[in-house]
Amino acid sequence: MDLKTQKMYEAFFALEDLREILRQTSPDHRFNDEQQKDFDGVLDRINSIIDEIRSNKGNYNLKYISKNIEIRDKEECFINIGPIQAGGRLTNEARKAVIAYGDGYSVCDQCLSPFRLDYLKKPPVGEFCEEVAGFLGMDVARVVRGARNGFQIVTNALLDKGDIALVSSAAHYSVCLAIESVGAIWKEIPLNESNVVTEIETAEKIEAVKEKEGVLPKLIAISHFDYLFANEHDVQGIAKVCKEYEIPFLYNGAYTVGIMPVNGKKIGADFVVGSGHKSMASPAPSGILATTDEFKDTVFSTTALQGDITKRKFGVKETYLLGCTVMGAPLIGMMASFPTVKERVKNWDEEVKKSNFFIDELLKIEGSKVVSEMPRKHTLTKVDTTDSFDKIAGTHKKKGYFFTSELKKKGIVGIFPGATREFKLNVYGLSWDKIRYLADSFKDIARKYELDVK
Ligand SMILES: *Cc1c(COP(=O)(O)O)cnc(C)c1O
């Protein structure tokens, strides 16, 4: 960690110490002698921290938040090309939201009858849900606790024990578990020779299930871009097949919603699921589930039962959501990032351009290959360096760790430690300068170990 980052954290935490005194002395903040002394002491400490930042001189006084929880400096001090972290990096506004709304049920200050998260006007959660629906070209949206919770809500609402749902052979485990969790069965649609699912494989699998089981699948859930290769799957064609068979189609936008434009209706999706912490610059856990007027009463159905003793009813609470979903810092963080997210999806073409630039540079290193489809249509890519960096790992005393260690020396993190054969990286959100630096760094490491660079 560099000194500026260290001192920034010291200053932050000192401000929290001030805040603690304010909280302890509320409502009038009349300090006793000891509190005044503490308060002045913290102010002096902040002053000297600021001096240290200015002069770039000082000691490292802080490593832990508490006990053994270390402070994290990955985004301040490194270029992070971790496959799952790029799109969830917080905006400046979201970080402020985390500071201001960290307290448990903080969003509930102004919750009035009938008590429901999406009825909140202050903070404007209801308006946010409407905007998200519009942004995705859908009719209704709700915030959920990650994409996986979106899947779970849909499978709860649509599937019964023993029902069959189709996923792709590159499906994320969480969609499979969401199906299994309600006692339904998931079956896989195979990838074609290009590692892509199209309407052809989908229709064939539907027919195969019909033939063998005598029933149609009750749900088909496909990622637009999968997490394994970040290949683009033919969601529009698959949606069309689903319509023909009248099977609801869930568009999994964990790797799309929030980084590229998505229009659910145009695609033909009945459900659009997005991940706040993967692609919407939001804290975890957060996500969105959007649907159409046709399905809203099914997935967002309200409670119907009544207490047998008390005769209590819970009115407008949405059953599969378990009432209120995302609260506090994750919700306000997602809302605070949303204006930026709406704008940034318009830059997707440029992001893809940068991705292809980097990959083309990487391919100049002798023996390097790309496992994902080419040219890249996404910023996440799986590469294969078995015939380049892995050859060095074979004789290096650090084995595969030599590579992540060389990258770290250049300030680059996020590749699975020790990986030198197949690994994923994500360059989303990096400036052109960082992209060029990244490409040069990979090539420098290659040259250092006498790999040919074209
Ligand atoms: C990351 C990912 C998920 C899980 O997203 P969460 O928001 O963490 O639940 C689901 N599907 C795909 C394709 C993913 O890449």
Side-chain angles (χ1 to χ4, degrees), residues 28 48 64 143 164 221 335 359 382 420:
D28 55 5
S48 56
Y64 299 100
V143 292
I164 294 167
M335 288 168 56
I359 293 298
K382 186 172 197 167
T420 44

Side-chain angles (χ1 to χ4, degrees), residues 22 68 142 152 189 237 305 359 387 428 446:
L22 293 181
N68 49 10
R142 294 284 186 272
Q152 197 179 34
I189 305 170
L305 299 187
I359 293 298
D387 293 328
Y428 182 75

Side-chain angles (χ1 to χ4, degrees), residues 146-148 151 172 174 223 225 227 252 254-255 275 277-278 286:
R148 66 196 71 203
F151 310 148
H172 193 263
S174 61
S223 313
F225 284 84
Y227 79 106
N252 180 357
Y255 263 119
S275 172
H277 48 265
K278 180 159 292 142
S286 59

Side-chain angles (χ1 to χ4, degrees), residues 300-319:
F300 302 139
S301 65
T302 52
T303 163
L305 299 187
Q306 189 170 11
D308 62 330
I309 294 174
T310 60
K311 303 287 178 247
R312 290 184 306 157
K313 290 187 199 169
F314 301 114
V316 295
K317 300 285 194 217
E318 291 169 331
T319 315

Side-chain angles (χ1 to χ4, degrees), residues 7 39 47 69 88 100 111 116 149 154 157 226 243 246 250 261 270 286 306 349 358 363 444 447:
K7 292 295 156 189
F39 197 85
N47 260 337
I69 307 171
C111 184
R116 209 169 85 184
N149 181 224
V154 174
D226 67 85
K243 281 261 142 46
E246 294 181 17
L250 185 152
D270 298 298
S286 59
Q306 189 170 11
D349 288 350
F358 172 72
L363 287 173
D444 284 349
R447 282 191 203 97

Side-chain angles (χ1 to χ4, degrees), residues 53-121:
I53 296 175
R54 282 223 177 86
S55 62
N56 206 28
K57 274 196 207 100
N59 296 323
Y60 284 65
N61 301 318
L62 177 71
K63 189 163 179 202
Y64 299 100
I65 295 169
S66 80
K67 208 164 182 299
N68 49 10
I69 307 171
E70 285 186 37
I71 51 176
R72 182 172 183 269
D73 64 348
K74 231 178 176 179
E75 306 300 343
E76 286 73 19
C77 298
F78 298 93
I79 292 177
N80 180 6
I81 53 172
I84 61 175
Q85 293 182 332
R89 209 175 280 138
L90 298 189
T91 59
N92 194 350
E93 294 74 27
R95 291 197 303 279
K96 291 174 184 170
V98 170
I99 294 173
Y101 276 86
D103 292 305
Y105 285 110
S106 58
V107 300
C108 309
D109 294 339
Q110 316 247 18
C111 184
L112 306 171
S113 176
F115 307 104
R116 209 169 85 184
L117 189 66
D118 62 299
Y119 289 170
L120 268 180
K121 290 207 164 63

